[in-house]
Amino acid sequence: MRGGDIESRGEKNRGSNHASSHAVEDTDTPWLSWLIPLFVVANVVMFVIVMYFNNCSKHDQGCVARFLGRFSFQPLRENPLFGPSSSTLERLGGLEWKKVVHQHQGWRLITCIWLHAGVIHLIANMLSLVIIGIRLEQQCGFVRIGIIYLLSGIGGSILSSLFIQRNISVGASGALFGLLGAMLSELITNWSIYTNKVCALLTLLVIVAINLAVGILPHVDNFAHIGGFLTGFLLGFVLLPRPQLGWMQRRNLPAGVRVNSKYKAYQYGLGLVSLVLLVAGFTIGLVLLFRGVNGYDHCHWCHYLSCVPTSRWKCDGN
């Protein structure tokens, strides 16, 4: 981390010469991004560990890339993403409803975020994390982005567990969608300091819509995407509001001169409402989960959020 608090950097030039249509760029040195690269390394290391324990060459003759020895991949008919077996993922912390609810292994809500089903899955998520996360960390700092990433991942795991109760779920997608949600709420709560704001909003909405639309394909856990996105969206209002333009200068005015509030009224309002909704959502979700509630019992049409049947594939409703 370089310099002082992000709110004190580049304030004097925020009123002019904005460099981006998406975000207001600080004119001083941005935060040094180290947490997101650390997350990338952690995910890669975890995948290597998973493949080491998987040891396909010992248990299956049809392994892919057998020259890798115990790091070879499961047969493509079992895992087309070039990765380990589902039993290995389950053993090392994959999200599995029965183990969370009936065996009280709530820690799986967190560990599943660091596991990936295969090389393709890992590369896709890590590229997205680098593209989205590094920019956000440079702009907002590692503390806030780290909180958003982790809580969004957990939020995605909770919603996924309420609906996906027969399959194993792994991946950082919920956390990634949380960063996308935070980008959207950050744009909304700091609307007045953006240039080309409508274009930025429409672009971001299209990106989010496309990514959520991909989630209706079979074998994609869109509930983790939705849960992570909603969590990050609410957290953005709580953690990412920016001071009003020129506030840093006004607070240094002589005594007796009225100083405006650091944040606008709507920023306080959005932050408070979002915090209440976030706490309520996590509380209700965890209570329902550990009571063994099936989300489909209360939302019969929700299966369309995760898989839409077509002439090319079918959905099992789970």
Side-chain angles (χ1 to χ4, degrees), residues 143-180:
V143 174
R144 286 176 278 187
I145 297 308
I147 292 173
I148 292 172
Y149 184 88
L150 294 175
L151 288 184
S152 296
I154 297 172
S157 297
I158 293 173
L159 191 63
S160 174
S161 297
L162 288 172
F163 290 93
I164 310 297
Q165 300 188 351
R166 296 180 186 174
N167 299 320
I168 298 171
S169 181
V170 295
S173 298
L176 290 172
F177 270 81
L179 295 181
L180 278 176

Side-chain angles (χ1 to χ4, degrees), residues 85-293:
S85 66
S86 57
S87 60
T88 299
L89 291 171
E90 179 182 352
R91 187 169 73 251
L92 295 182
L95 185 60
E96 208 276 326
W97 180 80
K98 290 183 179 179
K99 292 186 178 297
V100 172
V101 176
H102 298 299
Q103 299 183 25
H104 309 291
Q105 297 180 4
W107 47 267
R108 290 179 179 270
L109 296 171
I110 301 175
T111 55
C112 69
I113 304 171
W114 307 97
L115 302 176
H116 287 83
V119 173
I120 297 176
H121 189 201
L122 176 68
I123 291 176
N125 276 351
M126 293 306 99
L127 285 176
S128 299
L129 179 57
V130 169
I131 293 172
I132 299 172
I134 288 182
R135 179 184 180 87
L136 275 176
E137 185 180 358
Q138 290 175 338
Q139 180 180 341
C140 305
F142 70 92
V143 174
R144 286 176 278 187
I145 297 308
I147 292 173
I148 292 172
Y149 184 88
L150 294 175
L151 288 184
S152 296
I154 297 172
S157 297
I158 293 173
L159 191 63
S160 174
S161 297
L162 288 172
F163 290 93
I164 310 297
Q165 300 188 351
R166 296 180 186 174
N167 299 320
I168 298 171
S169 181
V170 295
S173 298
L176 290 172
F177 270 81
L179 295 181
L180 278 176
M183 289 176 66
L184 180 58
S185 55
E186 192 273 337
L187 173 61
I188 294 173
T189 193
N190 300 313
W191 186 259
S192 62
I193 64 174
Y194 276 77
T195 57
N196 299 324
K197 55 191 70 176
V198 174
C199 179
L201 177 61
L202 292 177
T203 301
L204 190 53
L205 288 176
V206 169
I207 293 174
V208 172
I210 291 175
N211 280 276
L212 288 176
V214 172
I216 66 175
L217 298 174
H219 309 299
V220 178
D221 185 1
N222 210 28
F223 289 111
H225 298 172
I226 295 171
F229 178 81
L230 293 176
T231 301
F233 183 70
L234 294 175
L235 281 171
F237 289 120
V238 177
L239 298 177
L240 303 182
R242 297 194 187 188
Q244 297 184 56
L245 291 173
W247 179 83
M248 296 300 294
Q249 286 72 36
R250 291 197 298 271
R251 72 175 186 172
N252 294 322
L253 292 175
V257 178
R258 183 174 180 271
V259 179
N260 293 332
S261 173
K262 182 176 181 180
Y263 300 104
K264 294 186 177 181
Y266 77 87
Q267 291 177 305
Y268 286 112
L270 287 173
L272 180 59
V273 171
S274 297
L275 181 60
V276 172
L277 291 175
L278 191 65
V279 173
F282 266 70
T283 302
I284 295 172
L286 288 172
V287 169
L288 293 177
L289 173 60
F290 288 107
R291 285 186 177 180
V293 174

Side-chain angles (χ1 to χ4, degrees), residues 36 83 149 221 224 294 299:
I36 294 300
Y149 184 88
D221 185 1
N294 188 326
C299 182

